[in-house]
Amino acid sequence: MSNPREKNVADNEQYHSQPTKNSLSWVPNKWRRLSLKNPASSSSVPKTTVNDVTKDVMDEAAKVPVEDGQDKNESHTLSRDAMEFYNNGDAPYCYSRILGLNKLHTDFWGVLLGYLNDGRLNAIHIEGWVRRMMFLRGAKKRTNPSIEFDWTILPPQFHSEMYDYRTKYGSEYANGMNELYPPFWEVQYIYIPIYVQAIEDWLLVQINLCTMELTQYWCNQKYSKHYGRLIHNGVLQKFDMFFDKLLDAVSYWRRVIHGPYKPQEKGYLKTGLINDDYLPKIGGALGKDSGVFLCMLMYKLVHKKAFTMEGGIEEHCMKFRHVMADQFYKTRFFPDE
């Protein structure tokens, strides 16, 4: 794919950033749309018909309450969307409320849009999509407290933090102390995106707390039948043991008896299940698009919707890249100095 940006950029550049310590201190009660002056349109966004995943995401975002407000530095002529910011940005970097105080340079947008690093999404992109989905979950819950969600999605860094006793095995994502993530005893399903460094691919795991079963959702068919790779590469090695330590650390078994989802029995997590029903039927060598496919898959699984695609997978993934980028960019803000 040709790079439409006129600046000289290296294809192997990658965006590196650390999440903010207090990830919720900057989240507003409602999203507010980016206020623009003299907006210009971007002609590079695909104009073809959107697929079912893309349409669902756009419709969902449109239903979230928003409020217009005067942003700091509103007098600036701001880029209208992510593509325009990447091609001819009004600043070297910008901020998105979804990712807090992470500086989103043009290489962040270039990778997301598919023009840099072969379009392979980094952990910061996946984390951003997880946070967006969790923020919308929280917004819907605040709007309608009676609505029930039986799921939570954890960010990619949870996988490594769960193996670290200094983080109490990732307790902040399980005990309800972090406003973005509900306590485990209030949900049945936990989704965790994991980057497998040895094969440079993404894996999504689903944990059913009622049955204590872990199901693997691979983004490429060539790995979906090779569970041994996971043990060999250490991805799920001792996962069940450390997950059990986490449940004990947050007193899950004592608290879950008062929650809406009762486990069938107490025991170790079973990690051998694989579900490949959602994989593309055309062979499945997604390559650079595996991270994008992962984000689409997370959305469909938590909403319990069939995952169907017509036409080429690359075309669908490219459309979804633009949807993801614009969802991040529309929450652009100027932090207080």
Side-chain angles (χ1 to χ4, degrees):
M1 180 185 301
S2 61
N3 187 341
R5 186 165 174 248
E6 296 179 355
K7 301 176 184 178
N8 293 324
V9 290
D11 285 345
N12 61 352
E13 287 180 344
Q14 296 189 19
Y15 180 80
H16 299 279
S17 179
Q18 295 296 325
T20 54
K21 183 68 174 178
N22 186 357
S23 58
L24 263 292
S25 61
W26 49 268
V27 175
N29 289 330
K30 297 181 180 179
W31 277 3
R32 56 181 179 179
R33 298 188 185 279
L34 178 64
S35 299
L36 302 172
K37 287 197 173 183
N38 303 321
S41 62
S42 172
S43 59
S44 302
V45 178
K47 304 299 183 183
T48 50
T49 305
V50 296
N51 60 69
D52 62 331
V53 189
T54 303
K55 183 178 184 301
D56 287 345
V57 170
M58 296 172 68
D59 290 345
E60 179 189 48
K63 296 175 183 178
V64 176
V66 296
E67 59 182 7
D68 290 323
Q70 185 172 3
D71 261 337
K72 184 179 179 181
N73 297 332
E74 185 187 10
S75 60
H76 292 181
T77 301
L78 302 180
S79 303
R80 180 175 178 82
D81 54 28
M83 175 63 83
E84 186 175 311
F85 183 84
Y86 172 68
N87 284 327
N88 190 23
D90 55 80
Y93 56 83
C94 66
Y95 299 93
S96 168
R97 293 194 183 279
I98 294 174
L99 284 167
L101 296 179
N102 289 294
K103 294 180 179 179
L104 307 182
H105 293 266
T106 50
D107 53 356
F108 169 89
W109 303 104
V111 170
L112 180 55
L113 291 166
Y115 300 120
L116 296 179
N117 192 32
D118 201 26
R120 295 181 181 274
L121 299 192
N122 301 320
I124 189 69
H125 300 105
I126 305 299
E127 180 189 359
W129 192 247
V130 169
R131 292 175 66 84
R132 175 202 173 272
M133 292 185 65
M134 294 304 296
F135 182 79
L136 287 177
R137 180 190 189 279
K140 291 177 181 178
K141 188 71 174 177
R142 289 190 296 272
T143 302
N144 183 9
S146 63
I147 192 172
E148 289 191 5
F149 294 100
D150 63 356
W151 55 270
T152 183
I153 311 176
L154 307 183
Q157 61 265 29
F158 168 79
H159 180 247
S160 59
E161 291 189 22
M162 191 187 70
Y163 289 86
D164 189 348
Y165 73 92
R166 292 170 299 180
T167 68
K168 293 185 179 180
Y169 311 106
S171 294
E172 70 167 303
Y173 302 107
N175 59 14
M177 297 301 291
N178 188 322
E179 182 184 347
L180 198 59
Y181 305 99
F184 280 5
W185 51 88
E186 291 183 1
V187 299
Q188 179 176 353
Y189 298 102
I190 303 168
Y191 293 90
I192 309 168
I194 301 173
Y195 185 68
V196 185
Q197 183 67 46
I199 55 177
E200 298 183 337
D201 203 5
W202 285 96
L203 163 69
L204 179 67
V205 299
Q206 177 206 71
I207 297 175
N208 184 336
L209 289 171
C210 288
T211 62
M212 290 300 289
E213 293 176 323
L214 181 149
T215 303
Q216 307 165 35
Y217 292 87
W218 284 98
C219 295
N220 279 299
Q221 280 188 341
K222 61 182 178 180
Y223 303 128
S224 66
K225 301 301 182 183
H226 299 287
Y227 171 70
R229 283 181 178 267
L230 296 178
I231 301 300
H232 176 72
N233 295 324
V235 178
L236 293 183
Q237 192 172 32
K238 298 183 179 179
F239 189 100
D240 53 351
M241 182 181 74
F242 281 92
F243 189 76
D244 187 64
K245 289 179 179 291
L246 169 61
L247 295 184
D248 287 341
V250 299
S251 302
Y252 170 79
W253 297 109
R254 177 173 59 84
R255 300 180 187 220
V256 72
I257 61 175
H258 304 292
Y261 305 103
K262 305 295 191 297
Q264 296 176 4
E265 60 180 351
K266 180 178 178 179
Y268 269 154
L269 194 65
K270 298 178 283 290
T271 60
L273 299 178
I274 297 176
N275 187 324
D276 58 4
D277 293 342
Y278 291 85
L279 287 169
K281 304 302 181 184
I282 57 175
L286 286 170
K288 65 180 183 181
D289 290 323
S290 65
V292 182
F293 186 83
L294 176 90
C295 293
M296 290 192 285
L297 182 58
M298 283 193 293
Y299 180 87
K300 282 299 187 179
L301 288 177
V302 301
H303 290 92
K304 299 177 175 60
K305 294 185 177 182
F307 195 8
T308 57
M309 288 189 178
E310 297 180 2
I313 184 66
E314 289 188 7
E315 180 184 359
H316 288 297
C317 287
M318 177 53 69
K319 294 172 187 174
F320 202 76
R321 287 178 183 274
H322 285 270
V323 171
M324 291 177 65
D326 286 335
Q327 290 295 306
F328 291 156
Y329 188 77
K330 72 189 296 185
T331 64
R332 180 179 177 179
F333 76 109
F334 296 91
D336 293 333
E337 298 296 339

